[in-house]
Amino acid sequence: LVLWGLISLSPLAVFHEHSAGVRALLQPPPGVGSALSRLFASVGTDEHIVLFALKADESARTSQHIGSRSDDEDRCAGDEERGGVRVLANLSGHAERVHELLWRPAEELLCVRCSNHAERSESLLYVWQLTSGRLERVLSGSEALPHLAAMACAPLKQTVPETTPLRELRSSASKRMLERVRLPLGEGNAPLDV
């Protein structure tokens, strides 16, 4: 993941948190409160979710910080700020495709709906603690159904957009480029249409 400066048009920071491409960058939806509003998440094709924290303004360094901890307390060993952004947590271990995120700011939780199917009833629900980045629990089957039903109409829910794998894009783009190509075979031979 490369973060670019809009004014300088140069890279501000490079993060190597995903083992595959990034499917989506998501900001928490309006209504999450000031503590979570300075976060953003990357969802990778590796089904990892990486939470990033934007550097807080000096004037905003109060109890608005996640878990009411200072930046020094919140920083992990080896964790560094790059370009005004730092990795808060790497939420990995989703066994299936990440479809939706539900932000629960009051409990400092992030619920993640994963499934290889469009059916909500066949989904797994991962519940992550935002302050520690720890997986609290995984719900499935009848245990997950009431939570998934509530999640379907929750105002702080985000759907992770579906993307076309890069290899499919490359093959379709290559096919379009070759649609009207004519190859000469030499003198006296008609061109071969591809």
Side-chain angles (χ1 to χ4, degrees):
L1 178 66
V2 180
L3 299 179
W4 288 83
L6 294 177
I7 296 171
S8 66
L9 299 177
S10 61
L12 297 175
V14 178
F15 295 91
H16 300 280
E17 306 302 318
H18 290 283
S19 62
V22 173
R23 276 185 21 218
L25 287 175
L26 301 169
Q27 278 187 294
V32 295
S34 59
L36 296 181
S37 65
R38 65 182 191 84
L39 300 182
F40 68 94
S42 64
V43 180
T45 56
D46 57 3
E47 306 313 331
H48 291 207
I49 299 170
V50 181
L51 296 177
F52 296 91
L54 298 172
K55 182 178 178 179
D57 294 336
E58 292 299 322
S59 60
R61 290 184 189 227
T62 61
S63 63
Q64 295 176 354
H65 194 71
I66 291 179
S68 300
R69 299 184 299 189
S70 72
D71 274 348
D72 293 334
E73 291 174 310
D74 203 20
R75 193 168 288 170
C76 299
D79 186 23
E80 64 183 56
E81 186 177 289
R82 290 174 265 167
V85 176
R86 65 185 175 81
V87 175
L88 184 65
N90 190 333
L91 313 179
S92 60
H94 302 109
E96 297 179 342
R97 188 168 181 85
V98 174
H99 284 283
E100 292 174 325
L101 308 180
L102 174 63
W103 300 86
R104 298 189 52 184
E107 299 94 351
E108 295 183 338
L109 296 175
L110 179 65
C111 300
V112 179
R113 183 177 76 85
C114 298
S115 176
N116 284 332
H117 313 284
E119 290 285 323
R120 190 172 287 279
S121 62
E122 297 180 26
S123 297
L124 294 171
L125 186 65
Y126 293 78
V127 181
W128 295 92
Q129 180 66 38
L130 287 172
T131 54
S132 66
R134 277 190 256 148
L135 180 62
E136 281 205 357
R137 59 186 171 268
V138 179
L139 304 173
S140 63
S142 60
E143 186 180 39
L145 285 177
H147 300 281
L148 294 168
M151 191 173 176
C153 58
L156 299 179
K157 176 189 76 168
Q158 292 178 300
T159 301
V160 177
E162 293 298 321
T163 58
T164 304
L166 187 58
R167 66 181 169 275
E168 289 179 28
L169 287 175
R170 284 185 180 152
S171 65
S172 64
S174 297
K175 184 179 177 183
R176 279 195 307 273
M177 288 177 19
L178 292 174
E179 279 179 350
R180 302 276 184 227
V181 172
R182 297 171 67 98
L183 300 174
L185 295 177
E187 290 191 34
N189 294 325
L192 177 65
D193 284 324
V194 176

